[in-house]
Amino acid sequence: MANYVLVPGACHGGWWYEPIAAELRAAGHSAYPVTLSGLGPEESAAGINLDTHIDDVVRLLEAEDLRDVVLCGHSYAGMVITGVADRVPERIACLLHVDAFAPEDGESVWSLTDDSWHEWYAGGAGADGFAFAPLPVLDERAVPHPLATITQRIRLTGAHRRVPRREYVYCAGFENSPLTATYERLADDPSWHVRVLPVGHNIIREAFDDFREILLDAAPANVYFGP
């Protein structure tokens, strides 16, 4: 049995992963879709930054004593899972970045994106100054996302590089993707295994079966998959 911890992107909660988490559980694995702080219904984003979200996931791993974890992050959540891996690399068997940021020390989502994205982040936070509103194209369950998680620079010691397996999935059909530079950098890095899918950013909607197989393939080699 593998342990999957699934961290969603901006404006989304654990519900985004539930259809694929159900299939992982049906295959005999444990799956933990995470709803990060400030992203629950009617939950305030005040005082929530990137460190808060990293702490959310580290607490889950420690509370459930999860080891040999496949830690998956979509989009913004690449920031979160990188920070988690830097804190507790000994608990993680595979880092799976799914069309996600993969930052170096001192980078932020803000520093890794251009003005067209900054307009959404800063311009969309006018309601309360703490969170930016979801884009109309997102799922109807999407909620405002804490702005400080986007602007805070990540602090890394380099311990995340001790995770034995690092995977990257690039969704080549994502128009105006802020992740192309990340993909190009990692494609030339032998410590990463990089795949390309000809789909848009919402991989669950557009490539559910491919995503399920990528997740199953990321399980540690000694995991028994049943008959």
Side-chain angles (χ1 to χ4, degrees):
M1 181 185 75
N3 293 312
Y4 290 90
V5 174
L6 309 168
V7 188
C11 302
H12 290 70
W15 50 264
W16 187 75
Y17 281 108
E18 272 300 341
I20 210 157
E23 298 216 358
L24 294 172
R25 295 182 189 116
H29 306 297
S30 294
Y32 299 82
V34 178
T35 296
L36 297 166
S37 293
L39 289 150
E42 307 300 324
E43 196 174 344
S44 173
I48 294 171
N49 60 15
L50 178 58
D51 286 339
T52 311
H53 285 174
I54 293 169
D55 288 343
D56 285 343
V57 180
V58 170
R59 281 197 299 270
L60 170 64
L61 298 182
E62 293 179 342
E64 299 292 335
D65 195 23
L66 299 177
R67 299 182 183 275
D68 296 324
V69 170
V70 177
L71 182 58
C72 174
H74 178 250
S75 195
Y76 154 74
M79 304 292 297
V80 179
I81 67 172
T82 302
V84 173
D86 202 66
R87 290 266 300 275
V88 288
E90 69 281 0
R91 292 183 178 271
I92 301 166
C94 178
L95 269 181
L96 177 57
H97 286 67
V98 180
D99 217 30
F101 296 100
E104 301 289 348
D105 182 49
E107 294 182 329
S108 65
V109 170
W110 188 272
S111 73
L112 292 168
T113 51
D114 62 21
D115 288 347
S116 65
W117 293 95
H118 296 171
E119 175 58 29
W120 175 33
Y121 304 143
D128 62 7
F130 296 123
F132 55 91
L135 293 171
V137 297
L138 298 181
D139 190 284
E140 64 181 13
R141 295 177 63 181
V143 297
H145 187 93
L147 179 60
T149 68
I150 300 300
T151 57
Q152 185 185 14
R153 296 181 181 272
I154 197 167
R155 294 166 292 185
L156 300 172
T157 67
H160 60 292
R161 297 190 179 95
R162 289 165 33 201
V163 173
R165 185 174 174 186
R166 292 187 289 170
E167 304 261 345
Y168 194 88
V169 179
Y170 177 62
C171 294
F174 181 14
E175 187 176 352
N176 190 32
S177 174
L179 303 164
T180 301
T182 297
Y183 156 68
E184 291 172 346
R185 171 171 59 87
L186 300 184
D188 293 328
D189 187 335
S191 68
W192 286 82
H193 177 230
V194 177
R195 311 173 196 231
V196 178
L197 294 179
V199 299
H201 191 51
N202 191 336
I203 190 172
I204 285 185
R205 181 188 301 156
E206 298 190 31
F208 185 92
D209 291 344
D210 289 325
F211 189 20
R212 181 188 60 236
E213 293 310 308
I214 288 167
L215 282 164
L216 291 172
D217 181 65
N222 60 346
V223 169
Y224 173 62
F225 287 91

